[in-house]
Amino acid sequence: MTENRRQFRAIKGTRDILPPESALWNWFEQTARNTFESYNFREIRLPIFEETELFARSIGADTDVVNKEMYTFSTGPDADTKEEGASAQTYSLRPEATASVVRAYIENGMQTLPGNAKLYYVGPMFRRERPQKGRYRQFYQIGAEVLGQSDAPAIDAEVIEMLMTFFKRASLTRTTLYINSIGDKNCRPQYVELLREELRKVAEQPPAGSKLGPDSLRRIDTNPLRVLDSKLPEEQAIIAKLPRISDHLCDACREHFAKLKEELSLRGIAYEENWRLVRGLDYYTRTTFEVIAEGLGSQNAVCGGGRYDGLVELLGGPPTKGIGFAIGTDRAILSIQESGKLPQLPALAVFVAWMGQAAYPTAVNITRKLRGVGLAVELPAEEMKFKKSLGLADKLGARYALIIGEDEVNSGTFTLKHLADSDQKKLSEFDLLEYLESERRDTRA
Ligand code: HAM
């Protein structure tokens, strides 16, 4: 029998985030946590899979995400519960997390907590899309949601301010914020009907040089708003002439949108209005927004969000308002990398170049102490020749080599070599610790 030695590869659309890039991811996520917590948001950790029906009902059964992109699996009744009459369940890997946040809000009775629920989450999402630059089947989001009784435009503005503050801190600055209002249940149905009528007309009699593609033709019946999202060149002239929702908002929605713009200006946030910004998920009402970033090609949306008043009720909870966003971490990181504005990330501080068995106990001891003051230290497990040792220190990107040989053991000192310029000094243990610790403090400041 031949042994099967096939090598495994990551599944199409998934990937490994390796060091040193993983440090950039950690820094990015930590910057988000710090920023969001300064706005009094707290983390919620959610399951990676939920009942398929939760996503179908919230995101919408006619959306691409639910229709084509979910990873869905069925299991029989739980063997260990052996419930009478328990039937097979259908679960899906989460394609997004807003539905889960709302499910958790209702399930945990969070409406009884004081103030608004201000929650953020960080983690992987799964969509079976065609992989390309900036588009993966397992991708990562950092999201935030506010749920509560009020739909004050100041909440929308604060959420957007938090997002843009975070992007600035994460040096993601070549961005554009687009905003729109897509109305609510009072005014949107009439607008959608109007849009449908107009689209039917152009479908029957397309203007010269333009025509609707098969997706848009289908959406006339299923979801005409989504036609506005189309990027097909032959549809652009048609879309430009369609009625705009801003001309069809009810008074309450128009006022809400006007107030949001005032609030954004008050906070000094630059934005552009984009009447075609309808988003691909069905739960939105009123405010929608998106941020695009440079250096990403066609997949340039680094964040999408909006208001979803009514979603809590749709999932069986009490009347509640909601707004939030999710940042695509993969794309945000790509954009930061392309801009070249990378932060200073933790690197190897000290490589302990010990020589001779007599030096080994000293090396182990000083390594423990240096690590104890927060320095990253590499201690070779086996003795190495001096030249080889310094060569490896260099290749690992160490800032210093700490040389411990016979001389050092005999004199009770350490030789600290700064690898960039080969500057070398002999120090006592006390001075060594003090020197490296104060330097670490300075470079962090
Ligand atoms: P979304 O627009 O579907 O919204 O996704 C948000 C962001 O996730 C996108 O702007 C993009 O950066 C990233 N993203 C989406 N799909 C992929 C993919 N296949 N590969 C890489 N990145 C991707 C939502 O998910 C909503 N839950 C946002 C929200 C929260 N609305 C209200 N609260």
Side-chain angles (χ1 to χ4, degrees):
M1 203 171 75
T2 53
E3 235 179 303
N4 184 357
R5 290 288 176 89
R6 177 174 79 84
Q7 288 191 1
F8 295 97
R9 299 182 69 88
I11 294 165
K12 184 175 164 191
T14 73
R15 62 204 179 118
D16 307 306
I17 312 293
L18 305 174
E21 193 184 322
S22 51
L24 183 62
W25 281 66
N26 284 336
W27 164 82
F28 186 76
E29 289 173 348
Q30 192 54 45
T31 307
R33 290 173 191 280
N34 294 346
T35 310
F36 295 179
E37 290 189 9
S38 75
Y39 281 80
N40 197 29
F41 280 68
R42 296 289 177 260
E43 182 171 8
I44 179 166
R45 296 197 180 211
L46 298 156
I48 301 280
F49 60 105
E50 300 264 8
E51 280 183 51
T52 302
E53 177 61 20
L54 170 69
F55 300 119
R57 220 197 292 170
S58 31
I59 299 168
D62 279 332
T63 56
D64 286 350
V65 172
V66 168
N67 242 336
K68 307 188 206 154
E69 296 169 3
M70 288 209 295
Y71 287 94
T72 297
F73 54 99
S74 308
T75 62
D78 267 358
D80 53 352
T81 53
K82 293 202 186 79
E83 273 171 49
E84 288 252 331
S87 56
Q89 274 287 10
T90 305
Y91 304 120
S92 295
L93 295 185
R94 61 182 189 188
E96 60 107 52
T98 308
S100 301
V101 170
V102 171
R103 195 255 320 127
Y105 178 86
I106 300 167
E107 187 174 345
N108 296 290
M110 291 172 89
Q111 73 277 4
T112 59
L113 298 175
N116 289 329
K118 296 167 83 176
L119 303 164
Y120 75 86
Y121 49 87
V122 179
M125 309 291 156
F126 305 85
R127 294 184 195 175
R128 197 164 179 213
E129 296 189 81
R130 196 170 49 77
Q132 63 180 90
K133 181 181 173 190
R135 190 158 76 191
Y136 308 96
R137 291 180 167 181
Q138 174 170 341
F139 61 100
Y140 295 81
Q141 284 189 345
I142 302 173
E145 315 285 350
V146 181
L147 292 130
Q149 289 312 302
S150 167
D151 61 359
I155 299 176
D156 308 38
E158 190 180 64
V159 162
I160 294 173
E161 179 193 303
M162 178 170 89
L163 169 69
M164 298 315 285
T165 302
F166 163 54
F167 278 164
K168 201 165 165 197
R169 285 193 197 167
S171 43
L172 194 71
T173 46
R174 300 178 310 159
T175 55
T176 310
L177 164 69
Y178 292 107
I179 62 165
N180 191 23
S181 172
I182 57 166
D184 64 6
K185 59 179 187 299
N186 298 318
C187 53
R188 191 167 42 201
Q190 285 100 298
Y191 170 71
V192 168
E193 224 17 76
L194 184 67
L195 200 57
R196 193 172 270 139
E197 276 168 32
E198 287 302 311
L199 286 167
R200 281 199 182 119
K201 278 186 216 156
V202 282
E204 273 164 30
Q205 279 191 327
S210 312
K211 75 172 186 356
L212 294 174
D215 279 345
S216 292
L217 286 173
R218 192 172 35 84
R219 285 175 174 148
I220 295 178
D221 290 320
T222 58
N223 196 348
L225 272 184
R226 292 285 284 143
V227 175
L228 303 182
D229 232 9
S230 158
K231 309 231 161 41
L232 290 181
E234 63 273 24
E235 295 187 340
Q236 300 310 307
I238 295 175
I239 295 170
K241 294 215 183 79
L242 291 172
R244 302 186 172 207
I245 185 133
S246 49
D247 299 327
H248 299 273
L249 293 177
C250 61
D251 289 347
C253 285
R254 189 175 312 116
E255 251 169 58
H256 191 274
F257 193 40
K259 195 87 184 68
L260 167 65
K261 288 182 275 185
E262 260 175 48
E263 284 275 352
L264 290 175
S265 301
L266 171 71
R267 293 153 199 261
I269 296 164
Y271 60 86
E272 283 181 30
E273 280 183 62
N274 178 358
W275 69 278
R276 289 174 55 177
L277 182 63
V278 291
R279 312 266 307 123
L281 317 169
D282 279 357
Y283 48 61
Y284 292 111
T285 54
R286 292 189 168 167
T287 310
T288 55
F289 57 97
E290 229 164 66
V291 179
I292 60 146
E294 282 180 28
L296 292 172
S298 65
Q299 302 304 311
N300 63 354
V302 285
C303 177
R307 182 162 274 293
Y308 47 85
D309 305 339
L311 180 56
V312 175
E313 282 159 279
L314 188 66
L315 296 180
T320 307
K321 317 286 188 196
I323 181 162
F325 61 76
I327 296 158
T329 309
D330 306 76
R331 294 182 190 176
I333 295 278
L334 268 175
S335 182
I336 294 171
Q337 284 169 328
E338 304 243 339
S339 76
K341 278 196 247 155
L342 297 177
Q344 231 203 357
L345 295 169
L348 180 57
V350 180
F351 184 95
V352 181
W354 61 275
M355 274 145 297
Q357 287 306 318
Y360 183 62
T362 313
V364 170
N365 262 313
I366 195 69
T367 298
R368 187 169 29 82
K369 287 180 184 159
L370 292 170
R371 287 176 177 157
V373 297
L375 293 160
V377 183
E378 178 71 14
L379 172 71
E382 288 168 300
E383 188 172 0
M384 293 168 79
K385 292 248 160 58
F386 187 60
K387 244 184 133 175
K388 209 172 154 202
S389 199
L390 287 193
L392 181 57
D394 223 20
K395 281 188 203 142
L396 292 178
R399 195 164 157 70
Y400 292 102
L402 186 66
I403 299 162
I404 316 173
E406 207 177 319
D407 277 1
E408 283 80 11
V409 174
N410 290 339
S411 64
T413 57
F414 296 89
T415 301
L416 187 68
K417 182 177 170 116
H418 188 241
L419 290 170
D421 59 10
S422 293
D423 182 42
Q424 214 163 278
K425 46 173 116 335
K426 262 194 187 293
L427 298 166
S428 68
E429 180 181 310
F430 183 86
D431 289 343
L432 174 74
L433 284 166
E434 198 174 70
Y435 180 79
L436 289 176
E437 214 189 333
S438 73
E439 197 196 37
R440 186 184 57 100
R441 246 183 276 120
D442 291 350
T443 50
R444 286 217 176 145

